[in-house]
Amino acid sequence: MCGRYASTLPPEMMVELFRLLKGVEVVPRYNIAPTQPIVAIWEQEGRREAHFARWGLVPGWVKDPREFPLLVNARVETMAEKPAFRDALKHGRCIIPASGYYEWHTNPDKTKQPYFITMANDRPMALAGLYASWMGPNGEEIDSVATITVPANPQLSEIHDRMPAILDGEAIENWLNVRDVRAHHAAQLALPLEDGALKFHPVSTRVNSARDDDAGLIEKVEVQKPEPRPRKVAGGGQLDLF
């Protein structure tokens, strides 16, 4: 599960890399947490723009977002079936620019060690996501997103059994093209990256607090190498009701 990430890409570079018609002004963030506003990119009527959206998807059919569970991640295995995600998979696909993300390894003594995970070539990440727009009875509107998770590749399974779906090149184009690429074919783009595509290092447990947000959070600290985790059978997980 991806529950924290960093995004330090300058706005002008984001416009260039992702071919945006319109960007947004942002500052470097090192500890982005659920429920916070994040930058997401999607296409509408052929226009690809960056938007601010709440991290935690709220489907349009929800009556009161305050009474709805927090949907931070959508599992690739079940997102096409669950009412909370299936419409967004058809019409609301997006990407979330990131510099890297955090994951926690559970040690034998049940303590958890955070790791910062980045692309091995140091390029920015494009996390696959889903977005929805909720309209309230008084005209209020909430744009919200969820990131998509896939089974971890063997390299990342040393830390956790899940990882975010990370897109690149033509996969980004097809994922965002909701006009021509059907949900079934788009879902096949959300795959684990191959071994060696990512690198990771342990970081301070300060990242556990969303109140901390500084460049020191992504710096390497010295800890013992994590013991390999047993692979889990797919299925179960977050909010199977939806």
Side-chain angles (χ1 to χ4, degrees):
M1 166 176 177
C2 175
R4 298 284 178 85
Y5 73 97
S7 183
T8 61
L9 196 63
E12 60 275 10
M13 190 176 296
M14 193 181 302
V15 169
E16 180 179 352
L17 281 177
F18 299 113
R19 299 191 297 104
L20 305 182
L21 293 175
K22 177 183 174 184
V24 293
E25 289 300 319
V26 292
V27 297
R29 296 286 311 281
Y30 296 91
N31 194 10
I32 301 172
T35 74
Q36 294 179 352
I38 67 173
V39 175
I41 295 168
W42 60 76
E43 291 184 0
Q44 289 180 315
E45 299 179 353
R47 295 177 58 87
R48 183 183 299 185
E49 299 180 350
H51 306 262
F52 285 111
R54 173 187 184 265
W55 190 9
L57 190 133
V58 180
W61 45 262
V62 170
K63 292 184 178 180
D64 187 349
R66 295 170 299 182
E67 299 178 359
F68 191 71
L70 185 64
L71 300 180
V72 176
N73 300 131
R75 296 174 67 94
V76 70
E77 299 92 335
T78 57
M79 63 183 179
E81 307 165 3
K82 297 191 175 184
F85 302 125
R86 63 189 178 198
D87 286 343
L89 181 60
K90 295 176 183 176
H91 311 295
R93 302 193 297 267
C94 66
I95 59 171
I96 296 98
S99 305
Y101 73 96
Y102 299 95
E103 195 54 85
W104 281 257
H105 171 74
T106 302
N107 297 316
D109 62 0
K110 304 305 180 183
T111 60
K112 293 189 176 183
Q113 172 61 50
Y115 284 77
F116 188 57
I117 302 165
T118 61
M119 299 297 295
N121 58 12
D122 295 320
R123 288 180 57 83
M125 293 177 171
L127 308 182
L130 303 173
Y131 81 89
S133 296
W134 179 86
M135 294 291 294
N138 299 316
E140 63 269 39
E141 183 175 356
I142 299 175
D143 288 332
S144 60
V145 301
T147 51
I148 294 171
T149 67
V150 296
N153 63 24
Q155 178 192 21
L156 268 293
S157 65
E158 295 182 19
I159 299 176
H160 199 270
D161 59 353
R162 306 289 295 182
M163 64 184 295
I166 302 171
L167 306 177
D168 191 21
E170 187 177 355
I172 294 177
E173 306 300 316
N174 290 330
W175 180 260
L176 294 178
N177 186 0
V178 296
R179 294 176 302 173
D180 304 317
V181 180
R182 295 180 178 273
H184 171 71
H185 296 294
Q188 297 175 11
L189 302 171
L191 300 169
L193 290 183
E194 60 187 23
D195 276 5
L198 297 169
K199 60 183 178 181
F200 56 86
H201 60 260
V203 294
S204 169
T205 54
R206 287 199 303 119
V207 74
N208 295 349
S209 172
R211 291 173 295 183
D212 287 330
D213 190 348
D214 60 79
L217 295 177
I218 66 174
E219 294 180 359
K220 182 178 180 179
V221 299
E222 294 298 326
V223 297
Q224 292 184 346
K225 183 181 168 105
E227 295 182 4
R229 294 170 56 92
R231 299 304 298 271
K232 292 185 178 180
V233 178
Q238 171 185 251
L239 296 171
D240 284 345
L241 179 62
F242 292 94

